[in-house]
Amino acid sequence: MNNSIVNVPEPVNEPIKDYKPNSPEKDSVLATYKNLKDSKTDIKMWIGGKFIESSKTSNMSPPHDHKHILGKYYLAEKKHVEMAIKSALDAKEKWAEMRWEERAAIFLKAAELVAGPYRDRINAATMLAQSKTIFQAEIDAACELVDFLKFNVFSMQHIYSQQPKSDSGVWNRLGYRPLEGFVYAVTPFNFTAISGNLPGSAAMMGNTVVWKPSDHQIFSAKIVIDIFREAGLPDGVINAVYGDPEMITNTILESKHFAGIHFTGSTSVFKGLWKKIGGNIENYNSYPRIVGETGGKDFIIGHKSADVDEFVTAVIRGAFEFQGQKCSAASRVYVPNSLSKKFFSKLESEIAKIKMGSPEDFKNFMTAVIHEASFDKLVNAIENAKTDKDAEVVIGGGYDKSKGYFIEPTVIKTSNPKYYSMETELFGPVVTIYEYDDNKWDETLKIVDETSEYALTGAVFCEDRYILSDAVNKLKNCAGNFYINDKCTGAVVGQQPFGGARGSGTNDKAGSYLNLLRWVSPRLIKEVFVPPKDFKYPFMG
Ligand code: NAD
C-alpha cells in the first residue's frame, strides 16, 4: 500500500503538428488514411469488455465519397442495451472502490496513446468518418482529446482535495462518491474528442457508463475504444452500443439505476430527452444528473472601428472551417454600413481562394458535409434564400452530391435581422449577414441578444475600448464563450472552458472541474473526538 498523497502531472496543451508539404507526419497520416480507407472494418458493440455482434448491420462511408464503403457496424437490439446496463452495474463496485490514482493512470496512459502511437489512426479515421481536413482532425481527435484526458485528471485531483473546515475537537471530511447507478453518454458526430470525453469524464470520476456514439462517427469512435482498452480500462466500465437512438434511450431510461446523462448534440433532441427523464422521475433511485451541450446560432458583430481584414478572416474561419459544422461556427454576422463595401469585396476575394474536395488533398480548406439529410436541408435553405424577398445569395450557393455531399461556402445577405437563417441553426457552410446602420449600434446589440434561442458563442470586433466594454456587458447573456477581436470557434481545453446557456445547454463547461463536479455525489463525514455526555446546554442554567 502506498500511503503518499500524490500529485498528478501538471497538464500542458498538446502541441499541434503542422503537416507541411513533404513532412514525415504528412506522409505517415496519409499512408494510414489509405490503409483505413480500404480496411473494410467490422465494428462490433463493446459490452463488458467483449465485442458483440447482432443480426443487423449498417454500412459506413466517407461523406466526401459516399459510394465507398469503409466497413459496417452492428446495430443493437433491446437485449444488447440491457446487457450493456448490466455490465455497467456489475463493473461498478470494483471500479468505484479503485484508488483514484489508478483511475488517473489509466486516463493519462490513454492520453499518451492518443498523442503517440494512435495519433495517425485517430486522425485518419476522423478524416474519413467525419470528412475533416488534417488540421481539423489534428486539433480535434488528437490534441483536444489529449487535453480533455490530461486536464480532467488534473481537475479530478483538484476536486478531491477540496475539503471543509473543522472546528476544534471535530474532523470534517468530504468524500466524492460516484453517482449511484450508471451514466448514459450520448455523443454527436462532429468531434471525436467529445466522443471520448463524454463517457471518459464520467468514468474517470468512478462511474460506469453506457455510451451511444452518433451513427456518423462510429468509425473513429472505434479508435477511441481501442485506446481505452489498451490503456487498461477494466471490462464493463464503458460499454458502447450503436443504432436506433430512440430504442436505446428508451431502454436506458426505463432502468431505475439510470443516474445521469452526458449529452452533446442538437437542442431538440436534448429537450426531448429532458422531458422523458422528467416523465420517468418516479422510477429512479435518485434525481438523474442532466448535462447537455447543444446547438448554437453564433454571431460575429463588427463595430465601425473594426479592422476589416481581421473581421473578414474571423468570418471565413469561423463560418467555413469544417464546413460550418461546429456548434460554435459563426452563422450570423452584423456589418456596419460604413464598412460594408470593403467587407464584402474582401470576403468575396478571400472565399474565391477556398478549395473544396477530399481531405486526402491537403490543399483543400473545406470538404463535404456529414450526410445526405444535412446536404438536403442546406440546399433547401440556400434555394429559399435565392427566391425570398428579404434575402439574396451574394457568394456561393452551389452544391453537388454526385460523389460527396459538397456545399460551396455560401453567404446570404438579408435585410431582415430576424430572417430564418439568422435564427435557425443550419449546421453547414452558410453564413447570413445583416448590414446595420452605424448610428444604430445599441439597437443592433439588442437585436443580437434577442434574435435566437441559443447562447453559445459570439464575437465582437472593435477597436474602441469604451464601446467594447459596453458591448461585452450588453451581450453578457447571449454567449457562454465570448470573444473579443477573435473568431468564435476554436476553444482550447484548460484555456477557454466551453459551453453555452439558454437553448445551448446546461453550460457545464466540458473539460473543466465544473463538468466533473456533475459526476460526483459528495458525502460529508463529521467525526467528534470527545462527544458530550449531557444533553443540557449552558444557557439552561
Ligand atoms: P444530433 O442531435 O442529431 O445527435 C446527437 C446524438 O443524439 C447522436 O448520438 C444521436 O444518435 C442521438 N440522438 C438523435 N436522436 C435521438 C433521440 N431521439 N433520442 C436519443 N438520442 C438521439 O446531433 P449531431 O448532428 O450528431 O451533432 C450536431 C449538433 O450537436 C448541433 O446541434 C451542434 O450544435 C451540437 N453540438 C453542440 C456542442 C456543444 O458543445 N454545445 C458540441 C458539438 C455539437
Side-chain angles (χ1 to χ4, degrees):
M1 171 65 77
N2 177 7
N3 279 327
S4 55
I5 295 171
V6 297
N7 287 321
V8 301
E10 182 109 22
V12 285
N13 290 113
E14 178 64 16
I16 300 167
K17 292 194 180 194
D18 283 337
Y19 299 91
K20 283 190 186 134
N22 306 317
S23 61
E25 69 252 26
K26 177 175 175 181
D27 294 346
S28 173
V29 78
L30 276 180
T32 309
Y33 177 100
K34 283 181 185 129
N35 275 338
L36 280 180
K37 190 172 177 200
D38 297 321
S39 62
K40 296 279 176 284
T41 310
D42 218 22
I43 302 185
K44 296 168 186 161
M45 288 171 280
W46 185 42
I47 303 175
K50 297 195 176 59
F51 286 112
I52 309 280
E53 292 180 12
S54 65
S55 54
K56 273 198 188 158
T57 60
S58 202
N59 285 336
M60 298 171 290
S61 298
H64 48 275
D65 188 1
H66 52 61
K67 291 195 183 74
H68 179 85
I69 305 292
L70 292 168
K72 63 176 190 290
Y73 62 94
Y74 291 84
L75 302 168
E77 295 156 34
K78 193 172 168 68
K79 67 177 183 196
H80 299 113
V81 186
E82 287 164 351
M83 270 169 71
I85 296 172
K86 185 171 181 316
S87 296
L89 292 172
D90 289 348
K92 178 64 191 282
E93 194 177 333
K94 221 169 158 191
W95 177 243
E97 289 301 318
M98 186 189 253
R99 285 177 66 91
W100 72 267
E101 306 96 279
E102 310 297 340
R103 278 188 263 127
I106 290 169
F107 289 101
L108 289 172
K109 177 165 179 172
E112 294 306 325
L113 290 170
V114 179
Y118 280 85
R119 195 180 197 111
D120 282 346
R121 242 176 297 169
I122 201 160
N123 278 340
T126 300
M127 293 163 76
L128 283 160
Q130 294 118 292
S131 206
K132 291 204 174 192
T133 62
I134 180 56
F135 180 70
Q136 293 301 317
E138 168 78 2
I139 58 174
D140 160 23
C143 300
E144 191 173 36
L145 183 52
V146 171
D147 290 351
F148 274 139
L149 292 162
K150 289 188 177 175
F151 281 82
N152 279 347
V153 165
F154 194 70
S155 296
M156 168 169 66
Q157 171 171 280
H158 170 72
I159 289 172
Y160 290 163
S161 67
Q162 301 304 303
Q163 293 298 318
K165 280 190 178 168
S166 297
D167 245 347
S168 65
V170 166
W171 188 13
N172 295 322
R173 282 169 278 167
L174 202 50
Y176 294 89
R177 301 168 300 184
L179 308 182
E180 257 191 298
F182 70 95
V183 171
Y184 180 35
V186 184
T187 57
F189 80 83
N190 65 339
F191 278 88
T192 302
I194 295 178
S195 84
N197 184 46
L198 300 203
S201 53
M204 190 181 286
M205 302 310 283
N207 298 283
T208 52
V209 180
V210 178
W211 168 30
K212 196 209 82 59
S214 159
D215 288 350
H216 305 282
Q217 191 259 330
I218 289 172
F219 193 71
S220 49
K222 174 59 171 52
I223 314 289
V224 174
I225 291 173
D226 292 344
I227 291 164
F228 282 150
R229 288 181 70 225
E230 191 169 334
L233 193 74
D235 294 349
V237 171
I238 296 177
N239 305 275
V241 288
Y242 318 125
D244 179 359
E246 293 259 351
M247 182 280 289
I248 294 173
T249 301
N250 290 342
T251 309
I252 297 273
L253 299 188
E254 277 164 16
S255 168
K256 67 177 182 174
H257 301 290
F258 166 67
I261 182 165
H262 203 185
F263 175 86
T264 297
S266 55
T267 298
S268 60
V269 169
F270 186 56
K271 286 186 174 168
L273 290 168
W274 194 300
K275 276 188 207 151
K276 275 189 192 166
I277 295 166
N280 278 349
I281 198 69
E282 300 297 343
N283 303 339
Y284 302 129
N285 288 339
S286 47
Y287 297 101
R289 298 284 163 90
I290 307 179
V291 175
E293 298 306 330
T294 66
K297 191 69 201 170
D298 311 297
F299 62 86
I300 305 184
I301 176 164
H303 182 253
K304 64 183 177 192
S305 64
D307 178 304
V308 172
D309 291 342
E310 294 169 2
F311 185 17
V312 168
T313 302
V315 171
I316 291 180
R317 285 187 169 173
F320 301 131
E321 279 185 315
F322 187 35
Q323 298 74 259
Q325 298 172 118
K326 299 186 184 187
C327 49
S328 54
S331 58
R332 53 185 172 122
V333 173
Y334 301 82
V335 179
N337 290 149
S338 57
L339 300 185
S340 173
K341 201 160 167 248
K342 203 170 159 203
F343 177 89
F344 279 102
S345 142
K346 173 89 184 176
L347 189 66
E348 190 164 9
S349 63
E350 290 298 293
I351 289 177
K353 295 177 195 161
I354 291 179
K355 289 195 165 46
M356 186 167 67
S358 163
E360 201 173 340
D361 179 350
F362 280 25
K363 290 200 184 66
N364 290 326
F365 177 78
M366 284 174 59
T367 65
V369 299
I370 192 71
H371 47 50
E372 190 165 20
S374 170
F375 178 92
D376 292 346
K377 179 179 173 185
L378 290 158
V379 167
N380 192 38
I382 290 169
E383 286 305 316
N384 285 342
K386 286 178 182 170
T387 52
D388 283 342
K389 274 202 213 75
D390 47 0
E392 97 186 93
V393 174
V394 290
I395 302 172
Y399 43 82
D400 179 358
K401 66 174 171 184
S402 51
K403 184 167 170 67
Y405 304 114
F406 291 103
I407 306 263
E408 279 180 6
T410 297
V411 179
I412 298 172
K413 194 173 172 196
T414 180
S415 53
N416 172 7
K418 298 275 172 88
Y419 181 65
Y420 167 77
S421 63
M422 290 296 278
E423 291 190 320
T424 309
E425 185 184 52
L426 294 172
F427 224 57
V430 176
V431 63
T432 308
I433 298 187
Y434 172 69
E435 201 178 305
Y436 69 90
D437 182 341
D438 286 36
N439 301 317
K440 293 196 172 157
W441 170 251
D442 280 341
E443 292 90 322
T444 310
L445 290 183
K446 199 160 183 306
I447 289 171
V448 170
D449 186 37
E450 290 173 354
T451 294
S452 92
E453 63 169 307
Y454 303 106
L456 190 51
T457 76
V460 59
F461 276 76
C462 177
E463 298 295 328
D464 180 321
R465 199 34 84 166
Y466 285 120
I467 299 283
L468 190 53
S469 70
D470 183 53
V472 171
N473 186 36
K474 289 197 169 116
L475 298 177
K476 62 178 173 291
N477 286 323
C478 53
N481 283 56
F482 191 79
Y483 297 83
I484 297 171
N485 294 328
D486 193 12
K487 64 183 176 11
C488 52
T489 56
V492 174
V493 176
Q495 298 192 39
Q496 297 100 23
F498 190 78
R502 295 187 184 161
S504 291
T506 52
N507 200 9
D508 287 295
K509 300 292 185 201
S512 82
Y513 75 96
L514 294 165
N515 178 282
L516 297 188
L517 277 174
R518 302 300 309 272
W519 309 118
V520 293
S521 176
R523 178 175 74 142
L524 185 282
I525 299 173
K526 175 188 175 188
E527 181 170 355
V528 176
F529 294 120
V530 184
K533 292 183 192 294
D534 180 356
F535 83 92
K536 291 192 227 68
Y537 291 105
F539 77 90
M540 295 160 79

